[in-house]
Structures are given as structure tokens and as C-alpha cells.
Amino acid sequence: MKAEYMKVFEAIAAIPPGRVASYGAIAARAGLPGRARLVGRLLGEVPDGMTLPWFRVLRSSGHIAMPPGSRGFREQCRLLRAEGVEVKNGRVPLSRFGLDADVDRALWGMPDA
């Protein structure tokens, strides 16, 4: 397996419970800016035996990427809510639950809304 793929898997594994990240943010953290689609592809090709918090990865808008109502969509909503993440109409407010939400608030005084 390519080393860059392992960096993507490590970036996904590092998302703490109760937080989410976009495909693009994961790509950037893995040293592959602009490779959000690669992240999505790799999530579909996770090696056997590797467990990742796949459900914590969302579109840059905060939306779940799976079709609304699909089994995967419902499972992702369930897993996120089990960690206390707010999901409304298939979208998570990144300003509150994104990986960098605390940093943004500290730097810019962004409200929790």
C-alpha cells in the first residue's frame, strides 16, 4: 500500500469522537491538498482488518455524502448521533463539530450557533 494512502487512513483514525472532518480536510492533513476525491475512494477500499471512524468524514458543506434515506446514510446518522454530534436533514454544523471548530472560536470568536 502506498505511504500516502496510509497517511489518509491515519488522518481519519485521528478524528476524535464527537468531531467530524471533510474529505478535503482529511486530504490536507494527510499532506495531499486538493485530493478530497482520493479520500472518498480510499474510504471505500479500507484494507481488511482496519477499523476506521468512516462516519466522521463528511462533505465540505457538512452533509453526509450518501444518498438520503439509504442504509449507509441512516447508519452514519445513527453513529454520529451516538457520539453527540448534531445531524439535521443530513447535515452537521461544522462550526460546532468540525475538527477546527475550537481553533476558529478561539481565534475569531465565532459563535456556537
Side-chain angles (χ1 to χ4, degrees):
M1 174 176 298
K2 291 184 175 183
E4 64 185 7
Y5 295 1
M6 284 308 300
K7 288 182 181 181
V8 169
F9 293 139
E10 289 167 3
I12 294 167
I15 304 170
R19 293 289 184 193
V20 296
S22 69
Y23 293 95
I26 292 298
R29 286 173 183 258
L32 302 165
R35 304 290 309 272
R37 288 180 186 222
L38 174 64
V39 173
R41 193 188 86 201
L42 290 176
L43 273 172
E45 301 174 2
V46 175
D48 290 338
M50 182 183 286
T51 304
L52 289 176
W54 61 270
F55 57 93
R56 296 180 189 144
V57 184
L58 306 168
R59 291 182 174 165
S60 61
S61 63
H63 284 91
I64 291 172
M66 293 182 219
S70 68
R71 188 170 72 183
F73 179 92
R74 291 191 310 269
E75 179 71 357
Q76 191 166 6
C77 288
R78 184 187 69 75
L79 291 168
L80 288 169
R81 288 177 177 137
E83 292 187 347
V85 175
E86 176 187 327
V87 182
K88 186 174 181 182
N89 298 320
R91 184 177 175 277
V92 172
L94 296 178
S95 63
R96 291 178 48 206
F97 298 101
L99 272 180
D100 298 322
D102 295 331
V103 173
D104 287 342
R105 261 197 301 280
L107 290 175
W108 308 109
M110 294 178 68
D112 287 344

